[in-house]
Amino acid sequence: MTDHNLSLMAHLMRRAGFGASRDELEQRTATGYEATVDELLNPEGQEPVDIYEFLRYYPLWWKPGTMGGLGHAPWVWRMINTKAPLQEKLCLFYHQLFATGVAKVDHYDEIEDMIDSFREQGLGRYKDLLMAVAQSPAMIYWLDNHENHADSVNENWGRELLELFTMGVGNYTETDVRECSRAFTGWTLKHKLPRFHMGRWDWEYEFRPDDHDFGEKSFLGHKGDFDGEQIIDIILEKPATAAFIARHLYSFFVADEPQVPAWSVTPPNDPEAVQFIADALMESDYHIGTVLKKIFNSDFFKEARFTRVKTPTEVVIGTLRLVEDTARPAPETMSWASQIGFMGQELLNPPSVEGWHSGIEWINSGTLMKRTNFTAEMISDRSRPGVAKIIDRIKSSGSKPEDVVDACLDVMGPLTIPDESRAELLDHARNLGDFDWDDERPGQGGETKLTEILQLVVSLREYQFA
Amino acid sequence: MTSTLEIGTNGTGTKEDPVIVVLQLTGGNDYMNTVVPYNDPLYRDYRPTVNVAEDEVLVLDDQFGLHPTMGPIQDMYKDGNVAIIHGVGYENSPRSHFRSMDIWHTCEPDTLGTEGWLGRVVRELDPDKENVVTAVSMGPALFRALVAPNVPVATVENIDSYGLLTDITPEEKLNRVLGRYKRMYSPAIGTGPVMDYLGQTGLDALKGAEILNVAPESYSSTVEYSDSSIARKLKGIAQVHLAGLGSRVFYCDHGSFDTHADQLGLHTRLWSQVSQAIRDFFDDLEEHNAADNVVMFLFSEFGRRVYDNGSGTDHGAGGVCIAIGKGVKGGQFGQFPSTKASDLDQGDLVPDLDFRSVYTTLVEDWLGLDPVPIVGGTFEKPDFILK
């Protein structure tokens, strides 16, 4: 029987990370749930991934500029190997929230810098993140703030700051959008001196007082000569902002919600939980680490198992961490990074500023096929160390069909599936005959049959959920 | 895998319905060295290094000629089956691969669009999703042009190994596993709309693969395709088309045409691969008497800079589109943009035909659909499809 504490730990690691091997889950369960939450929230205690190890093997991936498809492989390498998985998971959260893509920015290096700032500040105060994003050259270019001038206001950044990054539609007027945008005039970017005579120049943030509108602004009931930072302070005072960020946190860490554009007209699935998160945001002055601790330790989080469709990144990274193929920077890292894109989530290139549509919208016949094939191929490859461990563990739990099916479900999750699905797996296992672990004939021995059951388990509908 | 489905009875399409094959020239194909203005003295001024020699140009008329590797296309042009559409693009070209490609895919030059124009075409062609292979995309990822909510598209990397769990061998074992998969995804096990949707999607994927797997099995041809990735993709498309599965929209790409350096060698190799593959494809269709309802459409996200850079050419603006097939009215449409230095915009040709105009002709005159909601507006229509 699966240990309840271990199931809970597996849930925490799927949400606060990318899943974990059974060995890791057992260690963490022994350490305890709340202690593990604390460890996840304090990444500075972990040895960081040495990104230069990857770049020594694949120097082309350093500062790829505009070269298509190169930008996200180093990040994928970090996600596979990190000992501080929540840190990388938060990068993914903010990348979804502050969705910025090479489709327009056309400069991987700048978006990678933005992801780095998420890694450094992700557990800190939301205000600092907003300031970093407002002064990120990638974001400035993505939302045209370099075209936002004292004498001709461009509202793109100002509007999205209110609509997508803080308050949500319905909590401000068109005048507020205008006044907010005025406060960010002159927040622009410039080129740094180039490193090489060819290739993309680096960008950096620049404030140009001569292009800033210092006049009085009237914003959300306040009047004054506000600049961007003061605008952000006013925004964060509003309960609507806390409620909106709470919903983002809920839909990413707790359970699937409707798509963001529907939020102004569709109430949350669990209004009490979202209110709880909103209160925690207000009480902590939007300290994300503090709020996440409250979420992970809450009952609604612990009960929300398998209520989110895995993102493509979770599918690929979760599988790779499970099969433990991380001994050195594999050339396959690039193809793994591409796989995430083939499943519909090309990192550093979200389809729009709204980010990716998530939940059930990840799934179509093409992406479902890619998810299933990728996972089934990995889990059937005994040469990967994690797979060998999984197989040995299942073998040790018995050789009757019931033993094997239940051990597969246990070690691959532990997964809870409807009786009908379990009955199908059991029927399949029985038809295969005895699982004779001493029978090592290629293609028909006990282990081959076991692999067939594992492939069916990862093909289950239920396996698409985290 | 043996299919239990009857060919040609599982969809809205028949062999007589118009079919479109889009071949995307990824990376920005150099317009000026594809359809060469060989009699324009400025051409040689702008292109001291990266040019096509006058005696090598495959002459179309007294002004224009094709790149020397495009013999197969010149032959089809002479037969009246090729339309060359000049000076296609849109205002304020961003000269970024990603953004430009998005614009071509979504028909949204001013905002970021997420829905593809061909996705909307597929939705019109098969509104009730009767045929899960109405659209077939050849390549590892789904092109954004084909993305639309609730529109199934078969994304085929390799037609010979397309399907669920194809890693499993032997066939007997694969069939056993897929049989179980089908039962596990059956509606009886569903517990709510999300599980029902997943179940239906899984069964769609399985059915699409079953249908498409018939194509290589039922295919035979005397045509030997040339050896290139684009030839393999077009052969896959020919196999699906010839199997009569009701597929109406095919998509594939070739590249990279991003010829910043060493363009002469690169461009020669790319266009010989594309030209030969197109010749093989149409030869194959002709052999099976199945070419009449197929139009192929070639485009690239932008043309390249007018001045060469000594070795290649950099990102530009206006480009050329090519339509090929018996349904095409042969000839040249639109105008080659002025090459006078004072008429260039930041060193680039200024396109004067909106790309959505070209789509409008394809959607309305070839596919017989209302183009306005698909391309997002009303545009003049170059007359390159036979009535």
Side-chain angles (χ1 to χ4, degrees), chain A residues 102-103 106 142 342 360 363-365 368-370 373 376-377 421 424 427-428 431 452 455 459 461 465, chain B residues 96 98-99 112 140-141 162-165 167-168 173 176 180 183-186 189 195 197-198 201-202 205:
Chain A
V102 284
D106 201 20
W142 173 246
F342 300 158
I360 200 66
I363 305 290
N364 61 49
S365 56
L368 183 60
M369 201 182 270
K370 298 235 184 260
N373 289 0
E377 190 183 330
S421 295
E424 290 291 336
D427 188 45
H428 200 85
N431 290 347
E452 189 170 327
Q455 288 174 315
S459 305
R461 273 182 273 189
F465 292 83
Chain B
S96 145
F98 309 98
R99 179 69 194 126
L112 280 175
Y162 177 71
L164 266 162
L165 301 166
D167 210 37
I168 297 178
K173 179 174 169 187
R176 181 171 71 218
R180 187 64 59 179
R183 290 175 59 93
M184 295 193 310
Y185 274 69
S186 73
I189 297 182
M195 278 299 174
Y197 172 79
L198 263 167
T201 307

Side-chain angles (χ1 to χ4, degrees), chain B residues 265-329:
Chain B
L266 214 53
H267 209 231
T268 294
R269 182 163 56 81
L270 289 164
W271 268 108
S272 39
Q273 289 168 339
V274 169
S275 303
Q276 289 171 20
I278 291 174
R279 176 200 61 206
D280 299 339
F281 175 75
F282 278 101
D283 282 355
D284 200 4
L285 265 45
E286 286 289 349
E287 174 176 317
H288 295 87
N289 204 15
D292 293 1
N293 66 331
V294 175
V295 162
M296 181 183 282
F297 175 67
L298 285 76
F299 79 99
S300 191
E301 69 265 40
F302 47 62
R304 303 192 77 81
R305 189 133 298 168
V306 171
Y307 294 88
D308 73 40
N309 65 18
S311 166
T313 49
D314 298 313
H315 298 183
V320 62
C321 295
I322 300 175
I324 305 173
K326 286 190 168 167
V328 165
K329 189 188 282 182

Side-chain angles (χ1 to χ4, degrees), chain A residues 168-432:
Chain A
V169 170
N171 294 301
Y172 50 84
T173 65
E174 284 302 304
T175 307
D176 292 323
V177 170
R178 184 91 189 158
E179 298 290 283
C180 171
S181 304
R182 285 178 59 212
F184 285 95
T185 49
W187 292 43
T188 188
L189 61 90
K190 67 175 179 187
H191 291 110
K192 286 186 197 170
L193 281 176
R195 291 164 287 124
F196 309 118
H197 64 290
M198 289 176 72
R200 267 286 198 254
W201 293 18
D202 287 337
W203 298 343
E204 65 184 341
Y205 169 71
E206 180 185 32
F207 176 64
R208 294 191 51 168
D210 57 317
D211 200 18
H212 180 70
D213 178 348
F214 285 95
E216 186 180 74
K217 290 122 194 153
S218 167
F219 180 67
L220 292 175
H222 298 259
K223 266 194 197 325
D225 163 24
F226 302 130
D227 72 358
E229 182 168 4
Q230 290 161 311
I231 289 285
I232 286 174
D233 285 335
I234 294 170
I235 291 171
L236 291 174
E237 283 169 13
K238 301 290 174 189
T241 304
F244 191 76
I245 305 307
R247 204 162 177 187
H248 268 299
L249 287 164
Y250 182 90
S251 80
F252 189 85
F253 286 102
V254 185
D256 277 332
E257 281 277 285
Q259 307 301 330
V260 180
W263 288 1
S264 61
V265 289
T266 318
N269 290 331
D270 185 348
E272 282 178 30
V274 172
Q275 188 58 50
F276 171 86
I277 301 170
D279 292 343
L281 283 163
M282 289 302 256
E283 286 161 16
S284 66
D285 197 14
Y286 292 85
H287 190 269
I288 300 298
T290 305
V291 175
L292 282 175
K293 180 170 180 166
K294 288 191 174 174
I295 293 174
F296 294 144
N297 286 325
S298 73
D299 288 341
F300 64 77
F301 173 78
K302 293 176 183 174
E303 286 159 11
R305 291 176 218 179
F306 305 111
T307 49
R308 287 182 64 248
V309 176
K310 287 176 194 164
T311 65
T313 309
E314 288 172 308
V315 171
V316 171
I317 305 295
T319 304
L320 291 167
R321 287 180 73 104
L322 190 68
V323 303
E324 296 180 36
D325 192 7
T326 57
R328 68 187 162 81
E332 292 161 290
T333 311
M334 277 57 96
S335 100
W336 293 333
S338 305
Q339 284 290 338
I340 298 173
F342 300 158
M343 294 177 199
Q345 190 178 27
E346 190 187 337
L347 294 174
L348 310 190
N349 195 20
S352 80
V353 66
E354 275 174 24
W356 289 275
H357 280 201
S358 57
I360 200 66
E361 291 198 32
W362 287 120
I363 305 290
N364 61 49
S365 56
T367 58
L368 183 60
M369 201 182 270
K370 298 235 184 260
R371 283 168 170 251
T372 305
N373 289 0
F374 177 82
T375 319
E377 190 183 330
M378 284 285 172
I379 205 66
S380 59
D381 181 357
R382 201 194 199 288
S383 71
R384 298 180 192 276
V387 176
K389 288 185 201 165
I390 286 169
I391 289 175
D392 291 343
R393 197 177 270 274
I394 295 168
K395 280 160 75 170
S396 71
S397 63
S399 59
K400 293 205 293 284
E402 292 86 347
D403 300 334
V404 172
V405 166
D406 288 336
C408 285
L409 290 170
D410 180 53
V411 77
M412 294 305 291
L415 290 172
T416 316
I417 63 170
D419 291 343
E420 295 93 331
S421 295
R422 183 176 172 276
E424 290 291 336
L425 292 173
L426 200 51
D427 188 45
H428 200 85
R430 285 183 178 134
N431 290 347
L432 293 177

